[in-house]
């Protein structure tokens, strides 16, 4: 069994599948207008923060984690979309 602070490939794949379902959901949402959608890094950070605050409130006001986990998936989807549209940056290798 993996350590609690190590993410396994299987766990990562499960998260990616859930994240893809969120991206597909977001892809099908009606767009307000082209000029009012998140287009730059600050837009995604702001949108993510709004939904992060909602997820925190859902956790604080409801028993269990279910609503907050829904929000966590939504926030992850927003940030993945921001990386896709604004640019993906890989972490630089750590030199020991």
């Amino acid at each position: 069994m993996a350590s609690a602070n190590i993410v396994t490939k299987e766990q990562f794949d499960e998260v990616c599948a859930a994240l893809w379902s969120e991206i597909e959901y977001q892809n099908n949402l009606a767009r307000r207008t082209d000029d009012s959608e998140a287009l730059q890094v600050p837009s995604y950070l702001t949108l993510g923060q709004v939904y992060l605050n909602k997820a925190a409130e859902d956790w604080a006001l409801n028993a269990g984690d279910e609503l907050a986990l829904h929000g966590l998936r939504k926030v992850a989807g927003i940030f993945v979309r921001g990386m896709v549209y604004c640019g993906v940056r890989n972490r630089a290798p750590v030199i020991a």
Side-chain angles (χ1 to χ4, degrees):
M1 179 173 203
S3 171
N5 59 357
I6 300 294
V7 176
T8 67
K9 177 68 168 119
E10 292 79 18
Q11 291 168 323
F12 179 78
D13 290 344
E14 182 179 2
V15 168
C16 286
L19 189 51
W20 180 246
S21 73
E22 181 64 30
I23 293 292
E24 287 183 311
Y25 169 78
Q26 291 178 9
N27 282 343
N28 290 307
L29 291 174
R31 301 290 173 235
R32 294 174 293 183
T33 63
D34 287 342
D35 62 347
S36 69
E37 293 301 316
L39 300 172
Q40 298 174 338
V41 172
S43 304
Y44 286 99
L45 294 174
T46 300
L47 189 58
Q49 186 64 56
V50 166
Y51 283 98
L52 182 59
N53 291 344
K54 181 174 181 336
E57 182 176 300
D58 286 342
W59 179 82
L61 298 177
N62 295 281
D65 293 335
E66 200 58 37
L67 287 176
L69 287 170
H70 170 78
L72 192 60
R73 187 190 63 245
K74 181 179 286 296
V75 169
I78 290 167
F79 289 139
V80 166
R81 187 176 295 281
M83 290 176 70
V84 167
Y85 293 148
C86 298
V88 175
R89 300 294 187 270
N90 290 321
R91 179 171 294 281
V94 177
I95 300 175

